Amino acid sequence: MPLMYAEIVLGRVNPGLDKVYHYSIPEELAKTLDIGYQVLVPFGKSSGVGYVVGMVEKSDIKGIKNVAKILSPHPLFTRDSVELAKWMSTYYNSFFITALRAVMPPGTTHIERRAMKAKIKKPLYQEIQSSKSPSTSLRAGKIQTKFSLTLEQKAALRSIATDIDIKKFSVSLLYGITGSGKTEVYLRAADHVAEMGGGAIILVPEVGLTPQIIERFSEHFGDRLAVYYSDMPEKERQMEWSAVVMEEKKIVLGTRSAIFMPVKDLKLIVLDEEYENTYKQEQNPRYHAREVAFELAKRAGAAVVLGSASPSIETYYHAKEGDYKLLVLPKRIDDRPLPPVKVVDMRSELKAGNYNVLSRELKEELKSVIQKKEQAILFINRCGYFSFVMCRTCGHAIQCPRCSTSLIYYMKDEKLRCNHCGFTSEAPVICPKCQSSQIKFFGGGTQRIEQEVAKIVPTARILRLDRDTVTKKGSYENIIRSFISGSADILIGTQMVTKGLDIGSVTLVGVVAADIGLNLPDFRAAEHTFQLLTQVAGRAGRHKLAGKVIVQTYDPEHYAIMFASKHDYEGFYEEEIKTRRSLGYPPFGSLINVTVLGESERSVEQVSKELVKFLKKRLPPDEVFGPAKAPIVKLKNNFRYQILLKGSKIDVLRKAVVESAASIVKLGGVRISIDIDPYNML
Ligand code: ADP
Ligand code: ZN
Ligand code: ZN
């Protein structure tokens, strides 16, 4: 019996319409129509774009209508992708169409929108078709390698290669300090896959932040490498996508969303620095690339490799428990030692009369670096010039009127700006609350540090790398490249300077304020600080020249800072896992963060309370926390209240919250956002 009915999901994000509809297939379309096609279907009194997610023989539904038209020249996704999208929409509680869009080629939603504009004559798919990868001369890349692997690298590679050959789902943690040769192992594992004609996906936290890994991979794989990241122009992404569909390219290097590239014969997925927050998407579907990778690898029988110098607590726990294979690269290539870390207590600086943002020691080291014609990196986790504006008379802090966060003072335009919503205003001369003129600016950001450093070493050439300087496309890479090429002596920046850089002449790394972030209301705050310091410290003394790290802090006894300064991941892990165990946080329990938001605080509060009432009927009282005002209680004019669910079974928690959210009285303008395995608790 022929497959007579198409199962179709509409291209509309609407709770009432998020289901699978049946349509019959007219004779003339029967030969072509298949899973993955974008189609036009009659819907209600008009028509809509839909996607074929399945084909069935029978349907009990009455009054089935015909598919009107096929829109795409070829399927946009496979049956496997549909299955993955189904899993994602269930696990992360997103609409099916939203999950499905994640697995579709880039630009599909634009086409959808154009298709819905009446009477298009222009072919919809002109762009994608004509932008197929230009040539397929498969440049071999330089397969010859310059060196032989260390014993540990060999053992790690052998274990990964065996897993690949067995074709069974497996997870390995490749644990090794920065510079221990992890990237080289990824490269050769991918090479092993390529030799077998298979496919691999290598994920990095942010492409812009790791230009060197791209260089090494493209040097090695040449035209066989697809590079795919989110802020790449859509056209280029489409080209890479079709090159992968056509199997011209089977090795993919990219960020989070590259996990959805339609790689055939997938045998290997690598996540470099798997603890990074960028692997978690903060919009629907709120997926984590690691969990998607597991799901994908289970279906494909592929090997997953998680690589890190400081694995997430969860991952290291699983490796220790034997759930993942633990592969260790214990030392840097050529035994180069990790740089010594000096912790400077900024309280003593104050006592000694130094009120500057730079400690005496950091100042001296900066001078010496410039004298020796070496390079330094300074890290400060804030951009702008001043990060708080406060009235000394009444204590009023100037906040964004749309967000409950402080405004940041930027030097260039002498304005206050909100980092969350972009609101700008003039810096006040008198306090808006008490009219006092005692306005004071506090807290140093990158701009301020730049100015201070220029005072200490006036001859130094300084580059700044932060949100402010990388607004234009490509500016990140330009700044990094000019620093690498030696056209600057000191690089000052935010997180962006902490990753992946491997620069021989960097001998000094300074962390201006290690405690920022330590006191955030997030159970991962200590872990983040530890990882950040480990990353930053790894930037110094990578090659022949010895390096040094200076960490400035007001909290030198904090265990995250103490263990990081001793390069002691194990010590940190042992301390942290105790806390996690006693509080039931991951990996010992699962979390769901529910945010209730809306413009009326009263309604938000009312809905939150009611939601908690319902949740407590379904879950034990010690698994429901809140409601509480979110740490950022107002964001872009929306008030935000949070409810945290913590329990041993994520499925039970999810069911409870989905059912409770469905049963409460809907108040106009109030939304409920559900974040499974949350990373951002603010
Ligand atoms: P990681 O990814 O752990 O930071 P890399 O793979 O980038 O480490 O290796 C650090 C440096 O050592 C790189 O410059 C790399 O080319 C080099 N390297 C890696 N493995 C070897 C090896 N077996 N012999 C010599 N040099 C190596
Ligand atoms: Zn005041
Ligand atoms: Zn704002």
Side-chain angles (χ1 to χ4, degrees), residues 147-150 153 176-184 216 333 336 502 542-543:
F147 38 71
S148 52
L149 296 180
T150 63
Q153 281 175 316
I177 53 176
T178 42
S180 60
K182 296 185 296 295
T183 307
E184 196 59 35
R216 277 164 76 183
I333 299 292
R336 283 183 292 251
D502 183 5
R542 302 263 300 182
H543 293 264

Side-chain angles (χ1 to χ4, degrees), residues 152-402:
E152 290 88 2
Q153 281 175 316
K154 271 187 196 149
L157 182 62
R158 203 177 306 126
S159 167
I160 295 166
T162 308
D163 285 341
I164 291 169
D165 295 345
I166 292 171
K167 294 179 186 159
K168 243 173 74 187
F169 169 62
S170 67
V171 183
S172 308
L173 168 62
L174 184 61
Y175 168 43
I177 53 176
T178 42
S180 60
K182 296 185 296 295
T183 307
E184 196 59 35
V185 173
Y186 308 152
L187 199 68
R188 301 212 190 190
D191 210 32
H192 178 72
V193 166
E195 272 168 22
M196 304 159 72
I201 300 176
I202 320 295
L203 296 184
V204 292
E206 276 172 72
V207 156
L209 305 188
T210 40
Q212 284 156 330
I213 194 170
I214 302 187
E215 258 159 42
R216 277 164 76 183
F217 267 81
S218 41
E219 195 177 284
H220 192 86
F221 289 105
D223 286 351
R224 296 176 300 162
L225 181 75
V227 177
Y228 189 91
Y229 53 97
S230 43
D231 33 357
M232 199 162 125
E234 190 171 278
K235 229 184 180 138
E236 284 173 35
R237 276 189 288 145
Q238 285 171 347
M239 277 168 72
E240 292 296 58
W241 187 281
S242 44
V244 169
V245 170
M246 311 285 285
E247 297 187 62
E248 289 160 11
K249 299 181 174 184
K250 300 194 78 166
I251 309 292
V252 174
L253 178 70
T255 49
R256 186 175 70 220
S257 58
I259 194 67
F260 300 115
M261 286 288 262
V263 175
K264 300 223 176 69
D265 315 307
L266 184 66
K267 293 182 185 305
L268 172 72
I269 305 175
V270 174
L271 275 88
D272 187 39
E273 303 301 0
E274 54 79 33
Y275 65 81
E276 288 280 357
N277 278 4
T278 49
Y279 286 123
K280 168 85 173 166
Q281 169 146 304
E282 294 296 348
Q283 295 141 19
N284 286 321
R286 294 168 164 270
Y287 69 90
H288 195 293
R290 182 184 54 216
E291 307 310 315
V292 177
F294 289 167
E295 211 40 49
L296 201 62
K298 274 179 203 160
R299 292 155 198 273
V304 178
V305 176
L306 308 173
S308 182
S310 50
S312 66
I313 298 294
E314 292 95 312
T315 294
Y316 198 56
Y317 174 80
H318 288 303
K320 288 198 124 179
E321 290 289 295
D323 307 332
Y324 306 162
K325 289 177 193 172
L326 182 58
L327 310 171
V328 184
L329 302 180
K331 50 183 194 285
R332 278 183 158 179
I333 299 292
D334 292 347
D335 267 335
R336 283 183 292 251
L338 280 168
V341 177
K342 176 75 196 290
V343 177
V344 175
D345 185 348
M346 291 305 277
R347 294 169 306 187
S348 328
E349 291 294 305
L350 289 180
K351 271 190 214 135
N354 175 21
Y355 296 99
N356 199 281
V357 280
L358 304 176
S359 61
R360 291 162 294 174
E361 190 162 358
L362 188 50
K363 285 184 196 167
E364 287 316 307
E365 291 294 339
L366 279 170
K367 285 183 196 158
S368 133
V369 161
I370 297 305
Q371 224 163 42
K372 288 189 279 185
K373 299 204 178 338
E374 293 167 357
Q375 287 182 299
I377 295 178
L378 290 186
F379 164 72
I380 169 94
N381 207 358
R382 287 177 183 144
C383 43
Y385 194 82
F386 293 112
S387 40
F388 307 101
V389 185
M390 204 172 96
C391 168
R392 264 201 246 190
T393 310
C394 75
H396 176 68
I398 310 287
Q399 293 200 325
C400 173
R402 296 182 217 156

